[in-house]
Amino acid sequence: MKTTLARKTTLALVATLTLGLLAGCANRSEPRYTPKELQRFEARAELRSDWRQRVGQGLGRAVYPISPTLDGGVIYAADERGRLMAVAADSGERRWQTDLEVGVSSGLTAAAGQIYLGTRNGEVLAVSQADGEVTWRSRVASEVLAAPQPNQQLLVVQSVDGTVTALDRRTGQERWVYNTTEPALTLRGTGTPSVIDPVTFVGFANGRLTTLDNRSGQPLWERRIAVPRGRSEIDRMVDLGGQPVLTPDGQLFVSSYNGRLTALDATSGETLWERDHSSYQTPVLVGDRLFTVNEASHVTAFDARTGEEVWRNRDLEGRWLTSPAFADGNLVVGDFEGYIHLIDIQNGRFTARTRVDSSGISVRPVTDFRRLYVLTNNGRLEALEITR
């Protein structure tokens, strides 16, 4: 068996990361959780590098959440200055590259021959997957950090001011707008809508989850997922910072910062179960288990039917983990020092680990069963194969 050994960690970056999480917070604050040093473990798999590619300048000093996307065997990735490229997923060969001449700020979404993304100046772009030419561009209320979400007819965009805008997928023409009131202090980021043909599920920084009718943008039901508590504005933040997870049988899982992990009936909004659980990350559902990363970077498995905790891994506490992804029986998370960790979904034990780049990993890895595609903060895109 291969033994994985971690070195002594340098933790000075953590205070900067803590400050970067908050928007509108003027006072310096100490990190809430001290990052744990990585420990030895007996690896049961290896992560082999298949190829590397450079994606411009990366996520920038603001560490914009410009997550790549995979569609039809091609990875699409961008940097914060607007350099967009298409890379063959099997070989790493660059298919094309274009300069959008605008600062990209959101994750990318690829569907039906188009790439959709948001910008710092409040634009949404549709770009052809074939050659990188801009198909259309449309203006929304403010900066876009959440990846635009499509259904058959619409592209739904959530802006940092809490506005939700539905655009026509073919033309970019505005179909409807939904507004809400945001708190004075929020996390740096927004929730990402979950969109199906009839409705959109969207979470807000005020702790509320709303279901919108996609024909008109009118709310069908609304539920408070988290209630502000505490004396300070930071303690009272209740952002729904992740993306609601919808199951084929109509259950909806939602997490909140300083709040709860909640399972609801997607049709009525009725609460099925809830647990105290502070998180701004998107969970991942595998079978009948729901996996989350909380604000302390504990990785937890819940029984999706009952909400009972199955296992918890605390060994990565304070390491600013990404949202989890799934590949080959493992959860995949990246951390602030640029390590990728594989965790067995059955028991919560480490399977493999490797360091990709010391600049850190802030966006969720893209997975394709046994292969991972990891974009680091400084723009290094690397494909890793899981071998046993």
Side-chain angles (χ1 to χ4, degrees), residues 123-149:
E123 280 190 307
V124 178
L125 275 63
V127 181
S128 170
Q129 291 186 15
D131 55 15
E133 291 295 319
V134 175
T135 305
W136 56 255
R137 56 205 315 151
S138 183
R139 180 76 61 179
V140 294
S142 61
E143 180 183 29
V144 180
L145 296 178
Q149 299 296 306

Side-chain angles (χ1 to χ4, degrees), residues 226-238 258-260 276:
V227 178
R229 294 185 174 92
R231 294 184 177 181
S232 73
E233 286 190 87
I234 293 177
D235 290 338
R236 293 176 61 80
M237 290 195 303
V238 289
N258 284 336
R260 297 188 291 259
D276 287 338

